[in-house]
Amino acid sequence: MASGELNVVNTSPTLAGWKGNYYWGALETGRGVYNFGVIDAELARLNQGNPTPRKKLIIEISSSGFQGSPNQDPRGFLNAVLPSYLTTDTATYGAGATTGTSGWWYGGGGYSITAAVWRQAVTDRLIALLQALGARYNSNPDVEGVVLTETASQVATGGGYNDNTLLSQLERTLTAGTAAFPNTNIVIENNFMGNQPNTSALVLFENSHRVAESGPDLLGKTATDKTTPPKELTWGQQCVTGYPGTGCGNLTGSIAVIQNIDEPELLGTQFQGYGAPFTPLDIYNNGEDYLHASHLMWTYLIGRPTNNWPTIASMISTHPIRYTACPTSYPACDTR
């Protein structure tokens, strides 16, 4: 999948770069033992032939992974997502959701494996990974950003989980991330935390600490017309736009927004059964008009029964990003 996508990006003048999604367990093969070979290979492939301008890589670190049903681990998925040392040392990282395991729980309502990042010992190891990545890639001008897992997948219902503790540990992680990457975007997919106040608190923290807001989904304007607002926006997006009741003023133009787009609407379907079929232009307009996003990361959907990429690519070629100025929350930035 990556090979095909990299070829498309490398040969498309209107595409600025590519986001690679890397499980934590693939990058840290033992405690403090890191293997970034796949990132290096994809960076080289992305700029094969030295395209002008050079293509950028965004690195997503996935500390959660979705599975088909709760309370199961089909095909050893746990240790594909997380380092094996983290899931076997109960004394250090706390008990896991399954007897004899550690450092993880079922997040997102029980349908995903997630690192128990509300525990400081677990967060310490994620911070160490960010520091190792920063030492290798912060000075690389082809690395555009580092994205952290969506917050909704980290909301758990056991294992000592607490909404406020998750918030404080995520703030620790983001602080360490910007220190490790002083010249590179640090991004968090802050869509839904345990409640709106905590989601808003994290957005406000991002705005004051040079962290970009993101999320896995960006819904089209058709949803605004056919459902009751703000159903079409996540809690994080509601805060960015200053929606009433969020405790946030309008942050557009202040906070950086680097938004992922991977929802089923890319296939032209309706939003939760409402509204007319979406078009890529609907989604683009939502990202630009509502959020003032400086980056839109479109999922290629390769291998799906219906691949809407040709339609998306055609829209992208005629609709460049409109908000390219530095966010005012950034002390300085490079718009190249």
Side-chain angles (χ1 to χ4, degrees):
M1 291 175 64
S3 177
E5 293 182 15
L6 288 166
N7 285 337
V8 168
V9 172
N10 197 36
T11 57
S12 300
T14 54
L15 299 181
W18 184 78
K19 184 187 77 171
N21 190 354
Y22 308 95
Y23 283 133
W24 181 356
L27 299 178
E28 187 176 13
T29 56
R31 182 183 164 93
V33 179
Y34 301 106
N35 183 355
F36 302 147
V38 66
I39 299 177
D40 291 340
E42 288 173 348
L43 263 173
R45 182 70 173 272
L46 187 61
N47 279 296
Q48 194 170 29
N50 294 313
T52 303
R54 290 179 66 82
K55 306 297 185 178
K56 306 293 187 179
L57 175 70
I58 289 181
I59 300 167
E60 176 160 348
I61 304 169
S62 291
S63 57
S64 299
F66 290 98
Q67 57 181 1
S69 60
N71 306 322
Q72 295 180 10
D73 183 16
R75 299 179 299 281
F77 187 44
L78 175 60
N79 283 331
V81 177
L82 302 175
S84 58
Y85 78 86
L86 190 72
T87 63
T88 54
D89 185 351
T90 305
T92 303
Y93 304 110
T98 300
T99 301
T101 63
S102 68
W104 71 285
W105 209 260
Y106 294 108
Y111 288 89
S112 70
I113 286 170
T114 185
V117 292
W118 54 91
R119 301 174 184 169
Q120 182 170 333
V122 176
T123 300
D124 287 346
R125 298 309 311 156
L126 183 57
I127 288 173
L129 173 60
L130 286 170
Q131 291 169 337
L133 285 164
R136 188 173 186 88
Y137 296 113
N138 176 67
S139 61
N140 189 325
D142 294 336
V143 176
E144 181 78 356
V146 176
V147 181
L148 298 179
T149 297
E150 66 171 292
T151 53
S153 69
Q154 298 172 331
V155 175
T157 55
Y161 173 83
N162 177 276
D163 288 337
N164 293 333
T165 303
L166 175 63
L167 174 62
S168 64
Q169 292 302 321
L170 288 177
E171 290 175 349
R172 280 188 67 227
T173 304
L174 295 174
T175 300
T178 55
F181 285 93
N183 308 109
T184 307
N185 294 296
I186 290 294
V187 189
I188 186 166
E189 293 188 344
N190 180 21
N191 52 350
F192 299 99
M193 294 186 65
N195 52 65
Q196 175 72 70
N198 281 28
T199 307
S200 293
L202 187 58
V203 171
L204 295 172
F205 180 89
E206 296 164 41
N207 189 50
S208 61
H209 289 79
R210 193 185 62 79
V211 175
E213 166 69 8
S214 187
D217 302 302
L218 174 59
L219 299 172
K221 190 175 184 301
T222 307
T224 310
D225 301 331
K226 297 297 183 181
T227 66
T228 302
K231 186 175 183 181
E232 75 283 355
L233 298 177
T234 68
W235 287 344
Q237 292 167 350
Q238 289 172 38
C239 177
V240 168
T241 56
Y243 198 85
T246 62
C248 307
N250 191 324
L251 301 176
T252 54
S254 174
I255 194 169
V257 177
I258 298 177
Q259 179 67 44
N260 194 59
I261 305 166
D262 65 6
E263 68 262 17
E265 283 75 20
L266 283 176
L267 298 176
T269 58
Q270 298 168 319
F271 170 54
Q272 297 183 3
Y274 293 91
F278 283 77
T279 68
L281 184 58
D282 288 328
I283 300 173
Y284 165 88
N285 284 333
N286 206 29
E288 294 298 277
D289 294 341
Y290 288 107
L291 300 177
H292 294 195
S294 62
H295 301 63
L296 294 176
M297 301 179 289
W298 297 83
T299 300
Y300 190 83
L301 291 175
I302 191 170
R304 296 289 185 91
T306 302
N307 187 351
N308 202 27
W309 180 253
T311 306
I312 296 167
S314 176
M315 185 279 298
I316 289 172
S317 70
T318 55
H319 292 83
I321 291 290
R322 300 201 302 270
Y323 293 95
T324 57
C326 295
T328 57
S329 64
Y330 276 35
C333 77
D334 186 342
T335 59
R336 288 176 296 174

